[in-house]
Amino acid sequence: MPIHPSHHSEWRTARFALIALSVVIILLVWLPWFSAFGAGIANYVPLHIVLELAAISVALMIVSINHSRMDNIAAPHTSSLAPVFLGVAILDTLHLLSFQGMPDFITPADPEKAINFWLAARYLAASGLLLSALAVYQRGIKLPRGWLYILVLTFTLVSSLWFLLWPATVPRTFMPGSGLTALKIALEYGLIAVYLAAALLFVNALRQPRRFHAAGMFAAALLMAMSEFMFTLYADVTDLYNLLGHILKIVSYAFLYRALFMEVVQLPYRRLQESEQRLRQQQEELDYFFDANLDLFCIGSHDGRFMRVNGSWQKVMGYHAEQLEGHFLTDFIPPAEQQQVQRFVSRVASGQATETICAGMRRADGDIRQLEWRAASRHGVVYASARDITAQLHSEARIRLLSSVVDQSPYPVIITDLAGHIEYVNDAFTRVSGYSVEDVQGKDPGIIKSGKTPASTYKGMWQSLHQGRAWQGELVNRNKAGQEYVEKALIYPLRDEQGQVINYIAHKEDITARREAERRIEQLSHYDQLTGLPNPHLLKQRFGEYQAAEQRPAPLALIWLDLDHFKTINDTLGHRMGDLVLREIGMRLRTILTGKDILGRHSGDGFLFVLPAADDSKAGQVAADLLQLIQQPLLLLQDNQELTLTASVGIALYPTDGQDFETLLTSAETAMYRAKQEGRNSYRFYAPEMQANSLRKLELGSALAGAQQREELWLAFQPQLDLRRQRMIAAEVLLRWNSPKWGQVSPAEFIPLAETNGLIVGIGEWVLQQAARQLQQWRNDGLPVFRLAINLSALQFIQPDFAAHAAALVQAEGLTPADFELELTEAVALNNPDDAQRIMAELKAAGFYLSIDDFGTGYSSMSYLKRFQVDELKIDQSFVRELGHNDTDKGIVTAIIQLAHSLNMQVVAEGVEEAEQLAFLQQQGCDLIQGYYYSKPLAAGQLADFCRLRGGN
């Protein structure tokens, strides 16, 4: 790399120091004995204190010497170092106080706290050094010294408060046992990058004539980068790399201090010596010429010093003769132009020709004036004249600026004459329209018309312009490639000094992307993204528009269509296939729309139809057509199979079923659910009693949630008779709800509500616990031994560790699982046979007696039934009810009894109410009966009396 000769001496010193330090560090790292030695001494807290105090001391010396330079010598490349290193010294002090092993400072000392202050100090130092490097090229942020101190101290205060008061919010930088986190290493490499960037900028300064100690600044930046590299390697805050990093930091500070010392002390001293050696040579007096001329005249030496000036210098520049004479011209030249002026002085001194230059010069009041110089060398001295052309240059610069603003504007600009012929277009216009300057010069702007802007828009535009007013609006234009785009245009007249309109200027902005974004937002906010159909928000808006357009309420139908069992499709075929099915259904439903009908998607598998001017007859016909349309088979491309769907449809009529959209929507939904309850694949019109039924369910569900705490739930017991021994051996536990508002609520009504609302698990646990307590009480009272049969819900059955939990409940009451019979329906047992088999095996292993309830009402798999460890089958009462006169039921009951006995199971017949039923069951070998013939359900006290009265028979 070529180094300017003015830096050679300093560069050799810095280069030697860097190479020597690098070699020493490499040798130390590679020597195993030093690693062990270094790790030992690095753990010594006093050593860390000494190193940090040394670094803080050097930082404060940098602050002091640089502050002195800022007070006495203009040095923009170091103006940020004093406030920055004041902040660094403070943060390093907090780092020292937070180091592991130091006394607690506000919060306990630990490695991560110390690292946080360390990183803050390093990033502050790196920022200052980078700003210093950028200032060399007159880049970066230029702030007064006071503001720099305020910013640095604010950063120091905020970061300190953050680390001390809210340490939990600070990202982790160190993990005990595992070392640095990825964030800490990334931050260190960020510091390295900043230091290297500053070093590269200082290297570039080495190629230019010396203006500051660039070699020392480069060495300091590189050493700081090496120091931070050490801190990416350590695994513990006390290892060797940590120690080397601290040492390198101190060395880098020392290099920085030395560089500033040379600038502040040695260089001014050298300049003072040079100024004392200036030669004073006076030439013949040019008093009249100097004093009479309005231009600035001077006589100078070949090295660029003023020797004599005329009186115009005081008038124009504010300097007395003694303030200039003996001083170098470059002393009054801004730094950016000093080299140019120095070359001008050298050319004048070396030749006889007259040289000219335009350069800035600082007035006595600090203002910079632009002077045009003419100078020539005669008889060993330089004769020069200068003229202040600042005002002229400002005027020319303003004209160039205005031209550049228009040329470089990111928005198209067109200037036309009064006839509308194009005189000027900027680069943005050619980029947007695709037309070159030559294509449009002298042409009418209509060359870019698309034909889609209304004629009224152009008419209004020209009316405004002819009246001397500005016009603003949107135009749809077409570029050279034929693509349309939308422009927002501001067109206004341009007037001359007399106020006459001489041109029209158009400022334009391409807003095509903005309009497309607005259209996309409209699409996202009003349309379903899967099917492209309007969403409920847009349907509500259209409903409101329909209401506002009608003079009086006109009939309207709202149809809610919901696919039946659509969840099964998602569960079996996957959600991707489910989405394809929904899109296909949406396309089908579109085909049935007529006139002003609107189709939308509500959510999930629900679709909505708004049928303006539709009465109940038309709505019913549309609903029937929809059901037929849905039932048409869908071809599944993935396996070439057909899928047949059905739907349930609810219809609400406006205004009878609702005066607003929300009410109408609720009514249609209620009717749709009624269609589902009554078998699906049908449609229902809304009726008020549907809402009443829905309201009752809602109120019952809310009341049921607190019924247990209000002690409204109670247990009834229905005895079971052993036909062979003619005695009661069990009783089925039946849950009852006595509501203060509704009285005795049927289990057929509130049990499904409990399952739907998720209350059934808690209620089931309460039933088991209460039944166990009651059974223990009866045994304490001396009643005969019998077991209790308890029904299990599907949700209760699949609870994790249900068998162990149920066993623990009954054992807590002093009973055993063998005292209880748990009843499951066929649907529960066969819903997931593998899981059911596992859970039933766990219950059986715990000791529970197991029974299949309502046997014969569902689809029973003999293979699964054989696998289940079931003790008993209960024949549903629907088969027992007709035993006296229905041969089919007799055959079914006989088959169930024979099947159960062949599998070593007992059989219980439910709903036995007549002697004829009992006789048939005894004849077929049924084991137990349950029903009103033997006993109705009894309260706990009644069952005790029942047992005492009959003695168990």
Side-chain angles (χ1 to χ4, degrees), residues 775 779 786-788 810 815-821 846-849:
L775 183 59
R779 293 190 178 179
F786 58 87
R787 65 175 177 268
L788 291 181
V810 299
L815 301 172
T816 67
D819 296 319
F820 294 89
E821 174 186 330
F848 287 103
Y849 193 84

Side-chain angles (χ1 to χ4, degrees), residues 723 854-857 873-902 905-912 916-930:
L723 293 179
D854 300 334
F855 188 78
T857 59
L873 295 183
K874 296 188 73 173
I875 303 174
D876 188 69
Q877 59 183 337
S878 63
F879 301 117
V880 177
R881 188 179 302 117
E882 304 294 331
L883 280 179
H885 47 271
N886 189 313
D887 293 338
T888 302
D889 286 342
K890 289 181 179 180
I892 294 174
V893 170
T894 300
I896 293 175
I897 294 173
Q898 293 175 354
L899 172 65
H901 288 167
S902 68
M905 301 177 187
Q906 284 193 319
V907 180
V908 180
E910 294 183 297
V912 178
E916 186 178 2
Q917 298 169 345
L918 176 60
F920 178 82
L921 291 169
Q922 285 180 314
Q923 181 182 356
Q924 299 303 318
C926 183
D927 300 292
L928 296 96
I929 65 165
Q930 175 183 337

Side-chain angles (χ1 to χ4, degrees), residues 425-440:
V425 294
N426 67 349
D427 292 340
F429 172 85
T430 62
R431 183 177 64 254
V432 172
S433 70
Y435 290 98
S436 66
V437 176
E438 293 74 17
D439 291 336
V440 299

Side-chain angles (χ1 to χ4, degrees), residues 655-726:
T656 57
D657 297 334
Q659 297 289 327
D660 56 72
F661 183 79
E662 297 297 339
T663 305
L664 205 60
L665 190 65
T666 301
S667 299
E669 183 183 21
T670 301
M672 180 272 293
Y673 279 116
R674 176 58 63 88
K676 284 188 178 293
Q677 293 171 3
E678 297 180 357
R680 295 182 168 83
N681 194 26
S682 60
Y683 66 88
R684 294 290 184 273
F685 283 92
Y686 172 77
E689 58 268 19
M690 293 181 183
Q691 189 66 26
N693 183 52
S694 298
L695 182 61
R696 174 178 169 82
K697 286 185 177 180
L698 180 62
E699 293 178 348
L700 281 176
S702 299
L704 181 59
Q708 180 180 332
Q709 288 74 20
R710 295 191 298 270
E711 298 184 350
E712 298 173 6
L713 300 180
W714 59 282
L715 301 182
F717 306 88
Q718 187 170 28
Q720 294 178 354
L721 174 66
D722 186 328
L723 293 179
R724 183 173 59 83
R725 291 181 286 178
Q726 290 298 303

Side-chain angles (χ1 to χ4, degrees), residues 105-399:
F105 173 66
I106 301 180
T107 58
D110 64 74
E112 188 159 16
K113 177 182 174 185
I115 288 174
N116 291 336
F117 283 111
W118 172 271
L119 287 174
R122 303 291 71 74
Y123 266 98
L124 188 58
S127 302
L129 203 60
L130 184 60
L131 288 175
S132 177
L134 290 172
V136 176
Y137 307 95
Q138 293 192 344
R139 298 175 183 171
I141 302 174
K142 297 180 180 179
L143 292 175
R145 179 177 59 187
W147 280 106
L148 284 172
Y149 274 106
I150 291 173
L151 288 175
V152 169
L153 293 177
T154 300
F155 169 80
T156 305
L157 176 61
V158 170
S159 58
S160 299
L161 292 176
W162 186 24
F163 299 153
L164 293 173
L165 302 184
W166 300 282
T169 64
V170 181
R172 298 300 303 269
T173 56
F174 183 86
M175 301 294 291
S178 58
L180 304 180
T181 65
L183 174 63
K184 169 62 164 61
I185 295 175
L187 291 174
E188 293 289 1
Y189 279 115
L191 283 170
I192 293 172
V194 175
Y195 286 134
L196 291 178
L200 289 175
L201 292 173
F202 287 132
V203 166
N204 193 51
L206 291 171
R207 303 174 182 175
Q208 310 297 327
R210 187 190 188 286
R211 288 184 291 159
F212 65 99
H213 200 314
M217 302 291 279
F218 164 76
L222 199 58
L223 285 170
M224 289 181 187
M226 293 169 63
S227 171
E228 295 306 324
F229 180 73
M230 293 295 109
F231 289 107
T232 66
L233 303 177
Y234 72 88
D236 185 80
V237 295
T238 61
D239 69 13
L240 173 61
Y241 294 106
N242 192 318
L243 174 62
L244 291 178
H246 280 81
I247 294 174
L248 284 173
K249 180 182 74 170
I250 297 172
V251 175
S252 65
Y253 283 11
F255 268 86
L256 184 60
Y257 174 77
R258 184 175 184 274
L260 296 175
F261 179 82
M262 292 185 67
E263 293 296 302
V264 174
V265 178
Q266 292 182 348
L267 187 60
Y269 181 75
R270 187 184 309 125
R271 288 176 178 171
L272 180 61
Q273 287 180 324
E274 293 173 356
S275 65
E276 292 175 350
Q277 297 173 2
R278 289 176 302 178
L279 299 176
R280 301 172 182 268
Q281 182 179 359
Q282 296 182 349
Q283 302 294 327
E284 59 185 48
E285 298 289 334
L286 300 174
D287 294 338
Y288 177 81
F289 176 79
F290 271 53
D291 294 334
N293 204 301
L294 295 179
D295 285 341
L296 305 174
F297 280 88
C298 65
I299 301 173
S301 63
H302 282 176
D303 57 0
R305 284 182 293 202
F306 290 104
M307 298 173 62
R308 185 69 184 270
V309 297
N310 70 345
S312 295
W313 283 90
Q314 182 177 356
K315 298 175 184 177
V316 177
M317 301 298 293
Y319 291 111
H320 294 286
E322 58 270 20
Q323 292 177 288
L324 294 174
E325 293 173 356
H327 291 272
F328 287 100
L329 171 62
T330 52
D331 291 344
F332 304 91
I333 304 299
E337 299 180 87
Q338 287 180 358
Q339 292 184 359
Q340 177 188 6
V341 172
Q342 187 60 53
R343 288 193 294 268
F344 167 72
V345 171
S346 298
R347 290 198 306 271
V348 173
S350 61
Q352 297 294 319
T354 301
E355 299 285 344
T356 61
I357 190 176
C358 180
M361 185 172 179
R362 188 171 55 253
R363 280 173 47 94
D365 59 7
D367 186 26
I368 302 298
R369 308 298 293 180
Q370 295 296 320
L371 304 182
E372 184 179 48
W373 291 84
R374 293 173 59 85
S377 176
R378 297 289 187 275
H379 311 297
V381 295
V382 175
Y383 299 91
S385 65
R387 178 173 299 173
D388 186 358
I389 58 170
T390 305
Q392 176 185 340
L393 293 179
H394 283 175
S395 178
E396 294 174 355
R398 184 170 178 271
I399 294 174

Side-chain angles (χ1 to χ4, degrees), residues 621-846:
Q621 183 58 50
V622 171
D625 293 342
L626 289 172
L627 293 176
Q628 291 183 0
L629 188 64
I630 293 295
Q631 293 181 60
Q632 295 177 9
L634 280 171
L635 181 62
L636 302 180
L637 296 179
Q638 66 177 10
D639 52 10
N640 203 28
Q641 292 183 353
E642 289 186 345
L643 177 67
T644 300
L645 301 174
T646 62
S648 299
V649 176
I651 305 172
L653 300 176
Y654 171 82
T656 57
D657 297 334
Q659 297 289 327
D660 56 72
F661 183 79
E662 297 297 339
T663 305
L664 205 60
L665 190 65
T666 301
S667 299
E669 183 183 21
T670 301
M672 180 272 293
Y673 279 116
R674 176 58 63 88
K676 284 188 178 293
Q677 293 171 3
E678 297 180 357
R680 295 182 168 83
N681 194 26
S682 60
Y683 66 88
R684 294 290 184 273
F685 283 92
Y686 172 77
E689 58 268 19
M690 293 181 183
Q691 189 66 26
N693 183 52
S694 298
L695 182 61
R696 174 178 169 82
K697 286 185 177 180
L698 180 62
E699 293 178 348
L700 281 176
S702 299
L704 181 59
Q708 180 180 332
Q709 288 74 20
R710 295 191 298 270
E711 298 184 350
E712 298 173 6
L713 300 180
W714 59 282
L715 301 182
F717 306 88
Q718 187 170 28
Q720 294 178 354
L721 174 66
D722 186 328
L723 293 179
R724 183 173 59 83
R725 291 181 286 178
Q726 290 298 303
R727 60 186 300 271
M728 186 188 82
I729 65 168
E732 181 177 2
V733 180
L734 302 172
L735 180 62
R736 296 291 185 261
W737 180 17
N738 185 14
S739 170
K741 181 176 182 180
W742 292 285
Q744 290 292 339
V745 183
S746 170
E749 186 175 15
F750 75 78
I751 293 296
L753 282 176
E755 291 178 335
T756 302
N757 297 343
L759 301 173
I760 194 64
V761 174
I763 292 176
E765 182 175 328
W766 178 85
V767 168
L768 181 59
Q769 187 178 54
Q770 294 301 313
R773 289 178 180 173
Q774 184 59 64
L775 183 59
Q776 183 62 45
Q777 181 63 46
W778 283 331
R779 293 190 178 179
N780 293 338
D781 294 342
L783 266 64
V785 176
F786 58 87
R787 65 175 177 268
L788 291 181
I790 299 176
N791 290 280
L792 296 180
S793 74
L795 291 176
Q796 190 178 9
F797 181 66
I798 62 175
Q799 292 301 305
D801 298 324
F802 171 69
H805 183 63
L809 278 180
V810 299
Q811 290 168 353
E813 302 299 331
L815 301 172
T816 67
D819 296 319
F820 294 89
E821 174 186 330
L822 302 181
E823 297 183 0
L824 298 87
T825 63
E826 287 182 278
V828 172
L830 297 176
N831 181 45
N832 191 329
D834 293 334
D835 285 347
Q837 181 181 5
R838 176 182 56 79
I839 298 172
M840 292 170 74
E842 292 173 355
L843 290 170
K844 192 65 179 173

